[in-house]
Amino acid sequence: MSGSPTEVCFTPGQWEEHTQRFSNVLQEVVSEDDDSHGAIVFRHGLIAARIAMVLTALRKCEPMWNVQQCRCTDEDFHTAMDMVKVLLEHSLLLSTTVSAVESGKEPKPMKKFYRIRSVLAKLPESFTYTQLKEGAVEHGIPSSSLKRYLVRLLEMQIIEKEDGMYHKLCKSWSGNS
């Protein structure tokens, strides 16, 4: 295949879905911690596009050998996005142990990367601060951390506050609020 270069083209809809998914997950990652994990999200966005291109280019081995430009099929695109979803979750999980190793300390055991996501997932679309706090306590999140999470969730527009109620705005990677 090296003697037959291939240009892979994504549809506008595929680019829109790619941009939306990785924007949403970037918001979630930043709301969980600081923005240092954003590089993981950007890297996986690139990996998703590359995997989709490879899957599409491999189709040249089917009946269309002399084609120099291929449109990425939705099947290849979604296969790549599903693969990268798993890889991204794994990378974020691994990141919970790496900081100790980088500073020369003993590695910490892995822990869930998403803490506030688990709390939000169990809440209805509209909820009170009391409900949020009860969920946070259930997940072992201290009040001081919850206040920091709440500020980030509002800043990142994952939730909004209106008339004493909080409302979910942002969809997660999986498509759920």
Side-chain angles (χ1 to χ4, degrees):
M1 288 185 58
S2 62
S4 175
T6 305
E7 179 182 351
V8 176
C9 301
F10 293 98
T11 66
Q14 290 167 342
W15 277 123
E16 178 62 31
E17 182 178 340
H18 181 275
T19 300
Q20 191 61 53
R21 279 197 185 187
F22 285 99
S23 294
N24 288 347
V25 79
L26 182 61
Q27 284 183 321
E28 284 187 293
V29 165
V30 171
S31 71
E32 287 288 340
D33 201 5
D34 56 30
D35 61 1
S36 63
H37 291 90
I40 294 172
V41 177
F42 285 115
R43 189 174 317 112
H44 283 77
L46 178 61
I47 290 169
R50 286 182 174 170
I51 290 173
M53 286 187 276
V54 168
L55 293 173
T56 300
L58 287 173
R59 292 197 182 272
K60 282 181 77 166
C61 295
E62 291 175 353
M64 45 186 195
W65 276 102
N66 294 324
V67 175
Q68 290 186 345
Q69 187 180 60
C70 296
R71 183 165 304 278
C72 182
T73 65
D74 285 341
E75 179 183 12
D76 290 343
F77 177 76
H78 288 110
T79 297
M81 294 295 277
D82 288 344
M83 290 170 66
V84 171
K85 177 182 176 183
V86 173
L87 295 171
L88 178 59
E89 294 289 331
H90 184 268
S91 293
L92 291 170
L93 180 64
L94 264 167
S95 75
T96 65
T97 67
V98 172
S99 61
V101 175
E102 288 174 346
S103 61
K105 299 177 185 170
E106 266 309 297
K108 297 185 236 174
M110 278 192 265
K111 61 182 181 181
K112 288 171 76 173
F113 178 82
Y114 292 110
R115 295 179 68 202
I116 198 67
R117 177 201 266 186
S118 303
V119 175
L120 287 175
K122 291 185 177 182
L123 293 172
E125 291 300 311
S126 296
F127 55 91
T128 63
Y129 179 78
T130 303
Q131 289 172 303
L132 180 63
K133 188 171 182 172
E134 288 169 358
V137 167
E138 217 174 274
H139 285 83
I141 299 173
S143 292
S144 58
S145 295
L146 176 61
K147 290 175 185 171
R148 283 191 300 277
Y149 277 130
L150 189 56
V151 168
R152 277 192 237 130
L153 291 170
L154 290 165
E155 285 174 355
M156 299 300 300
Q157 296 180 338
I158 293 173
I159 62 172
E160 70 178 356
K161 184 177 182 180
E162 186 179 321
D163 298 327
M165 294 289 290
Y166 294 93
H167 309 280
K168 297 178 187 178
L169 298 175
C170 184
K171 293 197 176 213
S172 70
W173 176 272
S174 61
N176 301 325
S177 292

